[in-house]
Amino acid sequence: MTTVISKLRTGHVGLNVTDLERSLAFYRDALGFEVLGEGKEEDRRFAFLGQDGELVLTLWQQATGAYVPASAGLHHLALSAGAVEEVRAYEARLRDLGVEFAYEGVVAHGEGAASGGIFFHDPDGTRLEISVPTGVEGAPAPTESAPTCGFF
């Protein structure tokens, strides 16, 4: 019998956070994730977040300090939207909440690219991206020699 191996895809992402309530509010209110489940024991706090009942992200209150870009591990979390108008709607919502962005407005992934999005940070400094594969033709690319998502 031959075992068929399917292509792997990301199932969900787990992020360590310093303050579960603060991060939960951000991912729920700013990005629209729904709470699928929570663990509220003092030494074992976590939240399962999803969309349409499907797990997308788990927050674990285990970190003792902010995100460190120079450490091994997660570089950034990229989320996909259906259209550039959705990216702009998220940008407006995030701006209303006082979130700071790495670049001004929707930017291209690279010089001349049709793909791109917005780049910002969560309350612990984790780098986040909301992007689309097409629709940003003509948008500026913050860096010409490297991918936009690489060094924000």
Side-chain angles (χ1 to χ4, degrees):
M1 175 180 233
T2 303
T3 302
V4 177
I5 299 176
S6 63
K7 293 180 183 178
L8 295 176
R9 64 180 185 85
T10 303
H12 73 274
V13 174
L15 295 178
N16 282 338
V17 300
T18 58
D19 181 331
L20 183 64
E21 293 306 318
R22 180 182 68 174
S23 292
L24 184 57
F26 175 81
Y27 284 95
R28 183 190 58 222
D29 301 342
L31 299 180
F33 287 103
E34 57 193 61
V35 179
L36 303 178
E38 287 184 79
K40 296 183 178 185
E41 298 174 35
E42 190 55 39
D43 62 336
R44 298 177 70 88
R45 301 196 66 214
F46 62 90
F48 295 128
L49 304 177
Q51 293 176 328
D52 301 322
E54 183 177 342
L55 179 63
V56 175
L57 184 64
T58 304
L59 304 176
W60 304 95
Q61 185 172 299
Q62 299 182 99
T64 57
Y67 175 79
V68 179
S71 293
L74 181 73
H75 180 275
H76 72 284
L77 174 58
L79 303 166
S80 297
V84 71
E85 294 78 18
E86 292 175 30
V87 175
R88 288 191 175 102
Y90 278 109
E91 177 188 13
R93 180 188 297 179
L94 292 164
R95 285 199 189 283
D96 287 346
L97 294 170
V99 172
E100 291 186 30
F101 288 77
Y103 310 115
E104 187 58 39
V106 174
V107 296
H109 278 138
E111 194 64 40
S115 63
I118 55 175
F119 300 84
F120 54 100
H121 299 85
D122 80 357
D124 283 311
T126 301
R127 297 184 288 195
L128 301 171
E129 168 187 358
I130 300 176
S131 64
V132 289
T134 61
V136 299
E137 293 86 350
T143 58
E144 293 181 27
S145 62
T148 297
C149 62
F151 300 98
F152 69 101

